[in-house]
Amino acid sequence: MPLPTILSAGLIGRARRIWLLAVAAMATVLLGIVACAPPEPVRIGFLGGLSGRVADLGIGGRNGAILAVEMRNQQGGIHGRPIELIAEDDQQDAEVARQAVTRLLARKVELIVGPMTSAMAVAVLPQLNAAGIVLISPTATTNALTGLDDQFFRVVAPTATHVFRSAEYHFRRQGLRRVVLVYDLRNKAYSESWAGDFRKAFEALGGRIVGEVGFDASNALADLALAVLASEPDGVLIIANSVDTALLLQQIRRRDAGVRLATAEWAATEQLIELGGRAAEGVIVAQYVDRESRAPAYLAFSRAYRERFAHDPGFPGLTAFDATNVALDALTSRSAGQSVKQAILAHGDFAGAQLPIRFDAHGDTQRDTFLLVISDGQFKSLP
C-alpha cells in the first residue's frame, strides 16, 4: 500500500477513536445530568371559585389543599417525587369551569380536588368521566351525584343524609311551624337539593313550607326580602353563599326584627359574620366542622393552617385538606396497573382531621353536620 494511503488510513482510524471517546464522554455527562435532575413531580389539580361572591369558599379550599401538599412534600412527597398543585379558578361559571378542566387535563394531572360547589361538579364531571380522571370534592353535596358509578368522590355526605338534623332542630327546639326557603339559583344543584330534602323532613314533622323564593344576580336584595316576608313566616332559611346570605340578613332584619333566621352549610364561613354584622346575631348555622373538637389531628391542622395563612380554616379549609390527603394517600398506596379510583376504593379508611373517611362503592361517604349559633360575633355550638 502506498505510504500516503497508509498515513490517511491511520489518521482516519485515529479520528474515529477520538470521536468515539468524545461520544462516550458526552453520554457519561448526560447520564450524570439525568441522574442529578429532580424527579418528575406528581401533579394534582385544584378547581374552585377563587374570585367573585364564592371566593371565600374557593380560597379556603385552595389553602387547605396547599397545606396538605406542603406537609406531604416535607415528608418526601410520593415515593420520593415532589407533589405539584395546579389551581384553577372556575369563577362559579360552568363554561369557565370546563375550560379550566381542559387546561388541567393538558397538564397531565393525576386527579382533581374540587370543585367547591355542586353546580360546578355537575358541569365538569362528564369531562372527567370521559378522561377517566378522579374528581374529589370537598363540599359538593347534591343528591344528583349520589349512587353513580363514575369518577366522582366527596368527603361530605349528600344532603339527604344530614338535612334532617336542621329540620328537626328548627321544628322541635325553635318551635318553627311556617318557614320560607330562599335559595340561590346559580347553584341549583345544591340549593334545590338542600331545599327539597329540608321540605320533606320539615313537613314530615308537621311544619309547613309557606314559600320558596329563588334568586340570582338580577334580583335586588331589598325586593327579595319583601318577597320572603310576604307570607309572614316565623322562620326564614337561606341557602346561598356567605356574601348574599349576609346582605339578605341585613335586609330582612330591617323589615322584621323578630323572624327567626337560619342558613345551610354553604354560608357558614367567617365572611358571614364579618359582612352580616349585627344582623347575623342569633342566626342558626349548619356546617361540616366541629369547631370545638379536641381531636389532636384537628388541633394540629388548625394550628398549621393559621400559621400558614393567618386566618381560621373554617369548613372549606378543613374539607379540602381532608380531600387532598385522601388523594395523596391513594396515590401513595396505588399498585402497578391500578387506577386512582381503584386505589381509593381499595384503601379502606382514610384519616381525616376530625374523623375517618370511608367511601362506598359509588364514592359517597358520611360526615356529621353541626348546628351553631352566631353569638357575640362568633360561631358557638348548640347543645
Side-chain angles (χ1 to χ4, degrees), residues 265-311:
E265 289 83 358
W266 186 13
T269 69
E270 278 61 24
Q271 193 164 245
L272 175 64
I273 295 175
E274 294 169 8
L275 297 179
R278 292 180 59 83
E281 287 290 305
V283 173
I284 305 299
V285 180
Q287 64 176 233
Y288 303 114
V289 54
D290 178 4
R291 290 174 177 266
E292 296 182 1
S293 171
R294 306 308 298 169
Y298 173 67
L299 295 177
F301 155 73
S302 296
R303 182 169 55 253
Y305 188 100
R306 284 192 295 269
E307 289 174 356
R308 176 67 172 82
F309 301 108
H311 62 85

Side-chain angles (χ1 to χ4, degrees), residues 38-318:
E40 182 74 9
V42 176
R43 295 183 177 90
I44 66 172
F46 174 84
L47 180 66
L50 303 177
S51 58
R53 298 175 99 79
V54 299
D56 59 331
L57 192 68
I59 291 172
R62 182 198 60 191
N63 290 349
I66 288 172
L67 182 62
V69 167
E70 289 179 346
M71 292 174 73
R72 194 64 60 100
N73 277 333
Q74 289 171 4
Q75 299 167 10
I78 296 176
H79 304 309
R81 295 172 62 189
I83 305 146
E84 179 184 354
L85 182 71
I86 305 169
E88 288 278 358
D89 181 6
D90 63 33
Q91 299 179 32
Q92 192 61 19
D93 180 283
E95 184 53 36
V96 172
R98 285 188 283 264
Q99 292 171 5
V101 166
T102 297
R103 290 192 294 272
L104 290 173
L105 293 178
R107 298 287 300 275
K108 306 297 184 184
V109 296
E110 296 281 353
L111 52 83
I112 296 174
V113 175
M116 302 296 288
T117 65
S118 293
M120 295 303 99
V122 171
V124 303
L125 184 57
Q127 283 176 276
L128 280 305
N129 286 338
I133 298 294
V134 162
L135 184 69
I136 307 179
S137 176
T139 47
T141 63
T142 177
N143 293 328
L145 298 178
T146 301
L148 303 178
D149 183 12
D150 55 15
Q151 295 291 323
F152 181 70
F153 290 79
R154 52 182 160 198
V155 298
V156 290
T159 60
T161 66
H162 61 74
V163 167
F164 179 80
R165 185 173 183 191
S166 291
E168 186 173 44
Y169 181 87
H170 293 307
F171 184 86
R172 299 194 189 283
R173 299 293 296 274
Q174 286 204 297
L176 300 185
R177 296 297 181 267
R178 294 169 46 83
V179 168
V180 168
L181 303 176
V182 53
Y183 50 87
D184 188 344
L185 295 172
R186 292 162 293 189
N187 190 14
K188 288 174 67 174
Y190 169 78
S191 58
E192 289 189 346
S193 181
W194 207 100
D197 288 329
F198 183 90
R199 184 192 317 111
K200 281 185 205 173
F202 193 68
E203 290 178 346
L205 291 166
R208 290 179 57 205
I209 301 301
V210 297
E212 295 190 34
V213 182
F215 71 95
D216 57 26
S218 66
N219 294 99
L221 292 179
D223 295 338
L224 187 61
L226 291 173
V228 166
L229 296 172
S231 54
E232 300 182 353
D234 54 14
V236 176
L237 202 153
I238 304 171
I239 310 165
N241 62 70
S242 61
V243 175
D244 288 324
T245 298
L247 298 176
L248 185 54
L249 290 175
Q250 294 175 356
Q251 294 293 333
I252 292 173
R253 288 291 195 210
R254 288 174 187 169
R255 291 160 177 80
D256 188 336
V259 68
R260 300 291 185 88
L261 299 173
T263 80
E265 289 83 358
W266 186 13
T269 69
E270 278 61 24
Q271 193 164 245
L272 175 64
I273 295 175
E274 294 169 8
L275 297 179
R278 292 180 59 83
E281 287 290 305
V283 173
I284 305 299
V285 180
Q287 64 176 233
Y288 303 114
V289 54
D290 178 4
R291 290 174 177 266
E292 296 182 1
S293 171
R294 306 308 298 169
Y298 173 67
L299 295 177
F301 155 73
S302 296
R303 182 169 55 253
Y305 188 100
R306 284 192 295 269
E307 289 174 356
R308 176 67 172 82
F309 301 108
H311 62 85
D312 289 330
F315 80 86
L318 172 68

